[in-house]
Amino acid sequence: MRVCVLLNGNTRTINKCIDNIFDTFNFLNPDYFISTYDLKYGYHPYIKSSLNYLEDKYLTDQEILNLYKKINVKGILIEKHCDCLNFYEAEKGKFAPEFLNLESSFLQYTKIRKGIDIIKNYEIMNNFQYDLIIKTRNDIIHNKIECNLLTLLNSNTVIVSNKNVFPNDCIIISLRDNFIKIINSMIEEFYIPKYINSNINPPHGLLEAAIINNGINIKTLAIMNYVARIDTNQYYG
């Protein structure tokens, strides 16, 4: 089984989490791909309001690469945060009215799709395809996976964490083609909505619509322990 792990989003507290990420997924012998920004934290205003928030800062490419020395990185995309914001401003005029003002959700899932593009390019260069894609974040402490993921996955199943709002969008584990189908469906929804109420409770409602309406079942797994914030740990029931 060929497995890749996509670490998506701002690097945030990867320095606190990199050992745990390695220990959690190493038994799968995965390749790692990174889709990140030069802006370190980039917290949503809601999260910033609940933290003793420090001034954000921009990292150089080399500083970012140094954060991932422990893992087997096969591809990395480091985007300028301002370029992504400009892209959003250019695109939002094309959105359906109910999907306006969902900047965070749109950028989050376009970032994942860019990570998928890195994965696909690596597959083409090496003439193979991954069987399984695991998407997680740079600021999560994971529980040990104590089961065979393939026993939980089949042609129409996706696994998410059982923590936080259902379905949890922090961790997504899926067979390769289903993963790509889900992410593409979510982004397409901004432009031409197909699913009733998919804009409600973003990004969780959008994720749920994309999964269910593609005929895929959702399973939950106790894989997320907590989110490592700047100066605290955030646990979800």
Side-chain angles (χ1 to χ4, degrees):
M1 178 176 66
R2 292 182 181 270
V3 179
C4 67
V5 175
L6 173 62
L7 295 175
N8 190 74
N10 303 79
T11 56
R12 292 182 177 168
T13 53
I14 184 64
N15 59 307
K16 293 183 179 182
C17 301
I18 191 67
D19 288 341
N20 169 265
I21 290 170
F22 177 83
D23 292 341
T24 300
F25 299 112
N26 187 50
F27 78 100
L28 295 167
N29 192 30
D31 293 331
Y32 288 85
F33 295 85
I34 317 295
S35 183
T36 191
Y37 306 96
D38 60 349
L39 184 66
K40 184 171 185 178
Y41 295 110
Y43 285 128
H44 187 280
Y46 173 78
I47 299 298
K48 288 170 69 173
S49 68
S50 65
L51 296 175
N52 180 18
Y53 188 67
L54 303 176
E55 284 294 320
D56 219 330
K57 63 180 180 179
Y58 291 91
L59 303 176
T60 66
D61 287 2
Q62 190 58 55
E63 286 174 325
I64 292 172
L65 290 170
N66 289 342
L67 294 170
Y68 296 101
K69 283 183 176 179
K70 187 178 183 70
I71 58 177
N72 182 26
V73 177
K74 296 297 187 181
I76 184 167
L77 172 66
I78 304 170
E79 292 187 282
K80 293 186 180 299
H81 186 253
C82 61
D83 289 344
C84 295
L85 294 180
N86 290 337
F87 173 72
Y88 171 79
E89 289 298 322
E91 287 296 298
K92 70 178 183 180
K94 307 172 188 176
F95 293 169
E98 61 267 40
F99 281 90
L100 295 174
N101 303 316
L102 296 183
E103 174 185 313
S104 177
S105 296
F106 180 75
L107 291 177
Q108 174 185 346
Y109 285 102
T110 53
K111 200 82 182 80
I112 296 174
R113 187 159 71 177
K114 290 173 183 176
I116 291 173
D117 289 341
I118 304 171
I119 294 169
K120 285 182 174 179
N121 288 337
Y122 186 79
E123 289 175 330
I124 292 169
M125 290 174 57
N126 292 277
N127 195 30
F128 75 89
Q129 288 188 347
Y130 290 102
D131 301 298
L132 189 68
I133 297 178
I134 298 171
K135 194 286 295 185
T136 188
R137 290 181 3 188
N138 294 291
D139 58 352
I140 290 177
I141 295 295
H142 305 77
N143 293 317
K144 183 179 179 181
I145 300 174
E146 297 181 342
C147 63
N148 184 342
L149 290 175
L150 284 183
T151 65
L152 298 180
L153 287 166
N154 54 45
S155 61
N156 66 337
T157 303
V158 62
I159 296 172
V160 299
S161 173
N162 66 343
K163 297 291 184 72
N164 202 2
V165 178
F166 179 86
N168 184 303
D169 63 311
C170 296
I171 303 170
I172 302 172
I173 305 173
S174 175
L175 298 180
R176 174 192 182 278
D177 290 349
N178 279 343
F179 186 93
I180 294 171
K181 184 188 299 183
I182 290 166
I183 301 304
N184 284 340
S185 293
M186 294 177 71
I187 296 172
E188 290 166 2
E189 191 73 357
F190 280 84
Y191 300 90
I192 306 175
K194 298 178 182 177
Y195 314 131
I196 296 175
N197 295 331
S198 61
N199 63 307
I200 305 299
N201 192 27
H204 309 281
L206 184 61
L207 175 60
E208 184 172 23
I211 294 172
I212 293 175
N213 288 287
N214 275 292
I216 302 171
N217 298 317
I218 305 174
K219 289 184 179 292
T220 59
L221 185 66
I223 186 172
M224 184 171 78
N225 191 347
Y226 60 85
V227 177
R229 301 296 188 190
I230 296 173
D231 57 358
T232 187
N233 297 325
Q234 187 168 0
Y235 291 84
Y236 296 96

